Each structure stands twice: as C-alpha cells, then as structure tokens.
Amino acid sequence: MPQSENKSLAEARELIQKLRQIDAVQAPPTLLSSCMERIGPGDSYAILETPIGVLFVAYNDVGISAVMQAQDAAEFERTFRARFQRPIRAKSALPESLARPLVEQLSGKSSPELHFDLRNVSEFERAVLLKALEIPRGEVRPYNWIAREIGRPKAVRAVGTALGSNPIPVLIPCHRVVRSDGQIGEYIFGSSNKRTLLNVEGADPELLERLGRSGVRFLGDTSDHSFCLPTCNGMHHRADGHIVRFHSDQEALSAGFRPCNACRPVAVS
C-alpha cells in the first residue's frame, strides 16, 4: 500500500477513535469500513481448489492476506472483516498472475515466489511463519526446531500458538511442522487435512509416526556419515542399505556421524 494510503488510513482510524470518545456521538460499526472503501480498494478474494477442498484466498497490493475455510462466501467475509478490520470484496476468479503460481505450488511442479501480507501479525509470529516457509515440500520439522532456528529455544509453546493462528495456512506451510516425537500434531484445518497435505507432498505421516513410536528421531547415511531429520531429502523413503537409525543426536554424534547442513538436526535437541 502506498505511503499516502497508509497515512490516510491512520487518519481515518484516529478520527473514528475521537468520535467514539465523545459521549454524544456514537460512530456506527460500519463507519471504519466505509472510510476504508473510500480510501482504497481493500482486499479481494476468490476460491481456490486444493487437495483439502475449496479454500477462500484473499489478496491485496501487498500480497496474499488470508486463506480460510468457510461454508460460504458470506461466512468468509464476516470472518475476514472481524479478524482484519478491512473491507473485502468477491472476485469471480483469482487473477492469472496469482492463480498460476498457486496452482504450480500446490501441484509441486515448481516453487514460485509468493508475496504475503503479514502486517497483522507480531514480530515473533512473522519470524515463525517465515521459518515455516523454509521447510521444503515433502519434509517436516518439529516445533522446537523452529523455536531454535529463530533464536527462541524455550518458546516452543508460543511457536505452536503462532502456527495455530497462521493467517495463510497451506501456502505458508504450517502443516509441515510436527511434534518432536514424530506424531503429526494439531492443525488449523484439522489433523485429517494435515495428513492429506503431507501425503500429497510425499512426507508419509504414517511412516513418520511409526518411526516416532519406535523412538527413532534421526536417520544417518553411512555413505557420507551425516545424520538428518527423517524426512530430509526423502531419507525416510530410502531402502539402499546405507540408512541407520538413531534415537538422539548424541547417539549419532557418538557413532561418528556429523549433522546435516540442510536440515540442521541438532537444533531439535
């Protein structure tokens, strides 16, 4: 959004706040939306077919601002306005410049750069969401991996909370974050949809949970003596005789294996 529009929006909010402070004058609930409609175009939205069904995708000049499930457009619009305090209008379809990269990303054909509007999240939440974006398709990372990676190793619970309020799920892949014991964990759209997304991407959540139940936390490669998180570069699918299982990073290090530079497995310990 141009600086001039930001300034106008701030002035509109300040005016409304002053009106609400005057006992004799009560600003109607629709005043803010009306002001914003005059100031700028706000957000638009259309539906998107995904492996977990139809989702509503909102976008603006900054980028994609929301991805939600809803029974219908009216419910989506109410939820969006309540959360973001911005107007939203329907479009018949996503613009081609946005629809094509979204389809390519969801199909796994490519990893186009997408722009996101994260102005409504805190600095900590932004760090968590941007770190989740680094997890490759077909791979998962534990919650405490993200906490360590962003320099907040004790904030595991807060990481879970931030992912649970992710405004742009599926596209910012919080479904690729699981529990440290290998169990899939919760998801904003439900654990069943989380499993569906992970299966579509090749992460094989059932296999990960079997490894987790047996206490396996890392996989080592005897060909180069590195050890990784199970899904790193598809390690969990390899059956070439070079894979060994470890229950802890200390066990792997004691066996002479070095941590993988890609998935940085020691960050989870």
Side-chain angles (χ1 to χ4, degrees), residues 153-264:
K154 296 182 179 181
V156 178
R157 187 181 298 273
V159 165
T161 300
L163 293 173
S165 60
N166 176 9
I168 313 173
V170 180
L171 303 181
I172 295 182
C174 54
H175 61 277
R176 296 176 189 165
V177 185
V178 300
R179 288 166 38 177
S180 58
D181 62 1
Q183 303 306 298
I184 299 308
E186 298 178 356
Y187 184 48
I188 191 171
F189 292 153
S191 59
S192 177
N193 283 327
K194 186 173 188 177
R195 290 177 182 277
T196 296
L197 289 170
L198 292 176
N199 273 316
V200 167
E201 296 178 351
D204 198 343
E206 289 74 22
L207 174 57
L208 292 178
E209 289 186 326
R210 288 199 300 273
L211 290 172
R213 285 193 295 270
S214 65
V216 174
R217 299 293 180 264
F218 307 98
L219 297 177
D221 186 345
T222 59
S223 62
D224 65 2
H225 275 76
S226 65
F227 72 97
C228 306
L229 293 164
T231 56
C232 180
N233 200 28
M235 287 274 284
H236 59 312
H237 289 310
R238 285 177 54 181
D240 53 16
H242 291 288
I243 302 301
V244 292
R245 299 179 175 187
F246 296 112
H247 298 82
S248 70
D249 57 352
Q250 288 303 315
E251 182 182 0
L253 292 169
S254 297
F257 285 73
R258 58 174 178 79
C260 168
N261 290 328
C263 69
R264 299 179 291 280

Side-chain angles (χ1 to χ4, degrees), residues 34-48:
S34 298
C35 289
M36 294 182 71
E37 289 281 3
R38 292 196 295 270
I39 293 170
D43 294 60
S44 301
Y45 76 93
I47 61 172
L48 176 69

Side-chain angles (χ1 to χ4, degrees), residues 24-236:
V25 179
Q26 291 296 323
T30 57
L31 181 55
L32 178 58
S33 294
S34 298
C35 289
M36 294 182 71
E37 289 281 3
R38 292 196 295 270
I39 293 170
D43 294 60
S44 301
Y45 76 93
I47 61 172
L48 176 69
E49 292 283 351
T50 76
I52 59 173
V54 172
L55 297 177
F56 290 83
V57 178
Y59 60 95
N60 53 42
D61 290 342
V62 177
I64 300 167
S65 55
V67 172
M68 297 181 187
Q69 286 181 326
Q71 292 185 348
D72 52 37
E75 180 187 358
F76 167 74
E77 291 181 10
R78 287 195 300 271
T79 304
F80 182 92
R81 291 189 176 110
R83 177 167 183 175
F84 297 101
Q85 298 296 304
R86 296 199 301 267
I88 184 81
R89 58 171 58 84
K91 297 291 185 180
S92 59
L94 294 169
E96 179 65 18
S97 60
L98 180 58
R100 178 175 296 179
L102 288 182
V103 170
E104 290 178 352
Q105 175 165 312
L106 291 173
S107 66
K109 293 180 179 179
S110 66
S111 299
E113 181 181 3
L114 298 174
H115 298 284
F116 301 106
D117 180 0
L118 295 175
R119 290 174 295 173
N120 284 74
V121 304
S122 68
E123 183 178 348
F124 175 81
E125 291 169 330
R126 180 188 297 269
V128 169
L129 296 176
L130 293 180
K131 183 55 62 173
L133 272 171
E134 297 180 14
I135 305 173
R137 180 185 177 88
E139 300 187 19
V140 300
R141 301 287 187 269
Y143 291 96
N144 51 6
W145 180 90
I146 287 189
R148 287 294 184 93
E149 285 281 308
I150 65 173
R152 300 285 297 278
K154 296 182 179 181
V156 178
R157 187 181 298 273
V159 165
T161 300
L163 293 173
S165 60
N166 176 9
I168 313 173
V170 180
L171 303 181
I172 295 182
C174 54
H175 61 277
R176 296 176 189 165
V177 185
V178 300
R179 288 166 38 177
S180 58
D181 62 1
Q183 303 306 298
I184 299 308
E186 298 178 356
Y187 184 48
I188 191 171
F189 292 153
S191 59
S192 177
N193 283 327
K194 186 173 188 177
R195 290 177 182 277
T196 296
L197 289 170
L198 292 176
N199 273 316
V200 167
E201 296 178 351
D204 198 343
E206 289 74 22
L207 174 57
L208 292 178
E209 289 186 326
R210 288 199 300 273
L211 290 172
R213 285 193 295 270
S214 65
V216 174
R217 299 293 180 264
F218 307 98
L219 297 177
D221 186 345
T222 59
S223 62
D224 65 2
H225 275 76
S226 65
F227 72 97
C228 306
L229 293 164
T231 56
C232 180
N233 200 28
M235 287 274 284
H236 59 312

